[in-house]
Amino acid sequence: MGSHRGNFLIAQGGGPTAVINASLAGAVLEGMSLLHPTASMWGARAGIQGFLDQDFIDLRATGADLWKAIGETPAAALKSCRRKITAEDIDSITTICREKDIRYFFYIGGNDSMDTANKVALAAKNRGHEMFVAGIPKTIDNDLAETDFCPGYGSCARFIAQSTLDLGMDIRSLPTPVSIMEVIGRNAGWTAAAAMLAREGKEGAPHLIYVPEIPLSKDKFLKDIQEVHKREGWVVAVVSEGVCDEKGESLSSSAGEVALDGFGHKLPGDVASALANLVIRELGLRARSEKPGLIARASSHHVSDVDRGAAEAVGRFAVQSAIQGNSGFMASIRRTDNNPLVLSYEMAPLEKVAEVERFLPREYLNKEKNHIAESFRSYVEPLIGPPLRRYPRLVGC
Amino acid sequence: MGSHRGNFLIAQGGGPTAVINASLAGAVLEGMSLLHPTASMWGARAGIQGFLDQDFIDLRATGADLWKAIGETPAAALKSCRRKITAEDIDSITTICREKDIRYFFYIGGNDSMDTANKVALAAKNRGHEMFVAGIPKTIDNDLAETDFCPGYGSCARFIAQSTLDLGMDIRSLPTPVSIMEVIGRNAGWTAAAAMLAREGKEGAPHLIYVPEIPLSKDKFLKDIQEVHKREGWVVAVVSEGVCDEKGESLSSSAGEVALDGFGHKLPGDVASALANLVIRELGLRARSEKPGLIARASSHHVSDVDRGAAEAVGRFAVQSAIQGNSGFMASIRRTDNNPLVLSYEMAPLEKVAEVERFLPREYLNKEKNHIAESFRSYVEPLIGPPLRRYPRLVGC
């Protein structure tokens, strides 16, 4: 250790999570301890965009204590970007790596970022530039392949489950009997599914969960709401922002609400708001919507210690493995025991991860496909950390 | 003490807060300790509606320990209602009180509930039924007169301030530079104003705050967003759900988005969503919206201990004062010192509170009326409990 030549580069891509900076801090601290002290350590500001602009931050200029503090912040400390990488970009990246003598290249991100890391690893190899490239997983979507879970998911799951539980208490005590809560997660249903943890058995919120993997018709939705309302007298439904109808159209438009941009293109509507209005219009019930949006991934009050620990560990593991001479992998998580949870870390080939989306398996849906099967609990519960805050049954509700 | 004759009745009205049950538990525990052990203690299920239906809950059937636990739950433990009280209702209430020998009558609520309590107190007096009637204040809106603040406000303020701070971290690190966060509070701007606590000096989110007391035009809003974006590169704006344009129309409709119910009546739109779409359409910037909605008043993770303490204290004080022979008052809070905060409790005449709305004073607005003056901090900061969770400046943002 300490004798490795070449410089270190790390970047963050895509949407942040509540623990993405734990991965960053873990990787940086590991690099500081393992790399030769003369090796430069850089962060690319704003992901690959910043890398292409050679907008580099000297990571050594920030001390270990401050890195530890940064590891406990929400948001992406290096700033993020959304850029669809072109073949030309990959060429430029390889050229910059050679010029800057970058030998260790880490990209923290989701599917697109893993695809970028994969392409960078291949291009470096093809052009004969020896560089050790690793992806570090993060996404609240939990949709990366080849890993038990994605750091960031457990904390977002915790926020969603606790908020559903708290909201359920409120709605149950109100004369407004229907609330539709929209949660982030565009293509995969893992985040919405986590709301099932709010329930104890078949009791309480959420009564309904809709994930983007299952098309939802207006009629089916209204029938579900009406049935629950008749049976229970109140309804909390959790709906993924990405839920679509049978034609693949967002339910916000099929519920009759469309906003257009300056070019006449449809703007992404708020699904929950449109569905609440549908309930008012078609069922004559008082209904409302909540949409915590990005607060679900930024709230430091709902960070899962398990999630944060795993986030830091994948960062450290990626750097250790790269310095040991490995390349073209994503640091991935294996669950070796579930009770209590024991995790181990391994390398998954980037080409098996890049651009693959791992959807919520159908076996986790209930028969009617409007809720989550109890079997999902043993997957998600260990990831959210300590038990949710629960309350006694209220005397009048 | 202990020799007072007659029965005890308590109810909850309007929307819950995170600490309304602390008031209920305080009042019930105080009643249990001060009333004659043969006196019945009832809760009306679902507010005045339940009272009229004589749907009474035996409060003594629940032990003191469980009442303490209920005091730490969100939602309204007795269930709430929304019913505009008629003169006939008041007659029926007085008749029921006489028949049931109710001599202590407590109503926990906001403006409408205080109006109801006032009318009940007057009717009992006019009809010669000796009854001690007290209002117990609660509302996240903080818009009751004759009290320094309303229990429930401090916890909602804490949620909004911390969420604005966390959201600001996330948005600042993103390529989507604009987020509009909508907060509950229909007529008064106290809740939106609390977001100012997220800032340290002039740094960070929120850059703009819009309260319902000040009409907002589409053009002024777009000009503000454009200016902040030009100066800072990112914008977090907090907007009250009740913000209207100069004609008193909700900004969601004046921004061009109207949903209709089955009778062609406009449904309440989501202001933040409509404003985000306006920014996309008119300014060509990437924008999004968040709307935590009722989660802001139901989240037990953001309860302020100061707020909860005051909520319990007004409940206890109301019962003590009524049993001492006082009637027709609301338990109100006086701030006798601010640093550290010292509170005392007194009686405010219900007729000075009933149906009065206390708006955010204009002196708390900045000159441009798109933010809150620094002078507001010393009012609101002591009410939210411990300091907000703050983070180091992120290296790349």
Side-chain angles (χ1 to χ4, degrees), chain A residues 77 80 289-291 294 300 391 396, chain B residues 77 173 290-291 294 300 391 396:
Chain A
S80 187
S289 65
E290 338 295 324
K291 179 195 163 196
L294 301 189
S300 64
Y391 314 100
Chain B
S173 78
E290 340 293 325
K291 178 194 163 196
L294 301 190
S300 63
Y391 315 99

Side-chain angles (χ1 to χ4, degrees), chain B residues 131-244:
Chain B
M131 183 164 76
F132 305 96
V133 178
I136 300 171
K138 78 77 219 170
T139 168
I140 60 107
D141 290 337
N142 204 38
D143 62 349
L144 284 166
E146 303 287 320
T147 184
D148 182 78
F149 67 93
C150 302
Y153 172 63
S155 301
C156 188
R158 182 174 186 83
F159 179 99
I160 289 169
Q162 185 70 57
S163 298
T164 305
L165 202 165
D166 292 349
L167 178 65
M169 298 283 291
D170 194 296
I171 296 294
R172 185 175 210 159
S173 78
L174 282 189
T176 301
V178 181
S179 170
I180 319 289
M181 180 167 119
E182 176 173 332
V183 301
I184 48 175
R186 192 149 291 281
N187 299 324
W190 298 96
T191 43
M196 68 86 74
L197 289 174
R199 283 198 137 180
E200 292 184 291
K202 301 243 171 224
E203 167 62 22
H207 303 96
L208 298 163
I209 297 178
Y210 298 105
V211 297
E213 285 86 349
I214 308 293
L216 177 63
S217 74
K218 225 171 75 169
D219 294 343
K220 162 74 172 147
F221 169 77
L222 289 170
K223 196 168 147 277
D224 286 352
I225 295 282
Q226 199 158 32
E227 270 180 28
V228 174
H229 181 257
K230 196 172 279 179
R231 194 177 67 234
E232 311 271 341
W234 64 293
V235 192
V236 169
V238 171
V239 51
S240 165
E241 62 177 343
V243 165
C244 289

Side-chain angles (χ1 to χ4, degrees), chain A residues 101-122:
Chain A
D101 195 28
I102 291 166
R103 301 289 176 165
Y104 304 103
F105 185 104
F106 304 96
Y107 205 21
I108 311 176
N111 311 78
D112 287 346
S113 305
M114 293 308 121
D115 183 52
T116 301
N118 187 40
K119 286 174 175 154
V120 167
L122 290 172

Side-chain angles (χ1 to χ4, degrees), chain A residues 45 75-77 79-80 166 169-170 172-174 260 270 273 281 289-291 293-294 297-298 300 389 391 396, chain B residues 45 75-77 79-80 166 169-170 172-173 260 270 273 281 289-291 293-294 297-298 300 389 391 396:
Chain A
R45 192 192 308 269
K79 214 170 159 61
S80 187
D166 293 348
M169 297 285 288
D170 195 294
R172 185 175 210 160
S173 78
L174 281 188
L260 300 178
D270 285 355
S273 167
R281 204 160 52 223
S289 65
E290 338 295 324
K291 179 195 163 196
L294 301 189
R297 73 182 192 200
S300 64
R389 198 174 291 190
Y391 314 100
Chain B
R45 193 194 307 271
K79 212 168 157 69
S80 188
D166 292 349
M169 298 283 291
D170 194 296
R172 185 175 210 159
S173 78
L260 300 179
D270 285 355
S273 166
R281 205 162 51 223
S289 65
E290 340 293 325
K291 178 194 163 196
L294 301 190
R297 72 181 192 201
S300 63
R389 200 175 287 190
Y391 315 99

Side-chain angles (χ1 to χ4, degrees), chain B residues 64-146:
Chain B
D65 279 356
L66 189 48
W67 276 115
K68 280 176 198 152
I70 290 173
E72 300 198 351
T73 58
L78 298 176
K79 212 168 157 69
S80 188
C81 73
R82 277 187 207 282
R83 182 188 170 107
K84 198 75 192 162
I85 293 297
T86 64
E88 204 176 294
D89 289 339
I90 298 293
D91 257 9
S92 309
I93 291 170
T94 325
T95 304
I96 294 170
C97 285
R98 190 192 293 274
E99 284 171 10
K100 292 282 201 179
D101 195 27
I102 292 166
R103 301 287 175 165
Y104 304 102
F105 185 104
F106 304 96
Y107 205 21
I108 311 175
N111 310 80
D112 288 345
S113 305
M114 293 307 121
D115 184 49
T116 300
N118 187 41
K119 285 175 176 155
V120 168
L122 291 173
K125 201 173 186 179
N126 291 341
R127 293 187 40 190
H129 175 60
E130 193 190 46
M131 183 164 76
F132 305 96
V133 178
I136 300 171
K138 78 77 219 170
T139 168
I140 60 107
D141 290 337
N142 204 38
D143 62 349
L144 284 166
E146 303 287 320

Side-chain angles (χ1 to χ4, degrees), chain A residues 121-129:
Chain A
L122 290 172
K125 199 172 186 183
N126 290 341
R127 293 185 42 190
H129 174 61

Side-chain angles (χ1 to χ4, degrees), chain A residues 144-334:
Chain A
L144 285 166
E146 303 288 320
T147 184
D148 181 79
F149 66 93
C150 303
Y153 172 62
S155 300
C156 188
R158 183 174 186 83
F159 179 98
I160 289 169
Q162 185 69 58
S163 298
T164 304
L165 202 165
D166 293 348
L167 178 65
M169 297 285 288
D170 195 294
I171 296 295
R172 185 175 210 160
S173 78
L174 281 188
T176 302
V178 181
S179 170
I180 319 289
M181 182 168 119
E182 176 173 332
V183 301
I184 47 176
R186 193 151 289 281
N187 299 324
W190 298 96
T191 44
M196 69 87 74
L197 289 174
R199 283 198 138 182
E200 293 182 290
K202 301 243 171 223
E203 167 61 22
H207 302 96
L208 298 162
I209 297 178
Y210 299 105
V211 298
E213 285 87 349
I214 308 293
L216 177 63
S217 74
K218 224 171 77 168
D219 294 342
K220 164 75 172 145
F221 169 76
L222 289 170
K223 196 167 147 280
D224 286 352
I225 295 281
Q226 199 156 30
E227 269 181 27
V228 175
H229 181 257
K230 197 172 279 181
R231 195 176 66 236
E232 311 270 342
W234 63 291
V235 192
V236 169
V238 171
V239 50
S240 166
E241 63 178 341
V243 165
C244 289
D245 65 15
E246 303 90 331
K247 293 176 202 144
E249 292 273 312
S250 165
L251 267 190
S252 64
S253 7
S254 67
E257 285 169 40
V258 182
L260 300 178
D261 72 9
F263 304 97
H265 301 137
K266 283 185 194 171
L267 293 174
D270 285 355
V271 174
S273 167
L275 290 176
N277 283 340
L278 192 65
V279 170
I280 297 170
R281 204 160 52 223
E282 303 280 329
L283 301 182
L285 295 172
R286 291 182 69 130
R288 52 165 297 133
S289 65
E290 338 295 324
K291 179 195 163 196
L294 301 189
I295 300 169
R297 73 182 192 200
S299 171
S300 64
H301 275 69
H302 295 81
V303 166
S304 150
D305 53 350
V306 171
D307 192 35
R308 179 177 279 157
E312 186 183 337
V314 288
R316 288 187 181 270
F317 179 82
V319 171
Q320 285 160 16
S321 305
I323 290 178
Q324 281 161 11
N326 298 290
S327 186
F329 67 93
M330 178 184 83
S332 90
I333 304 169
R334 178 196 287 267

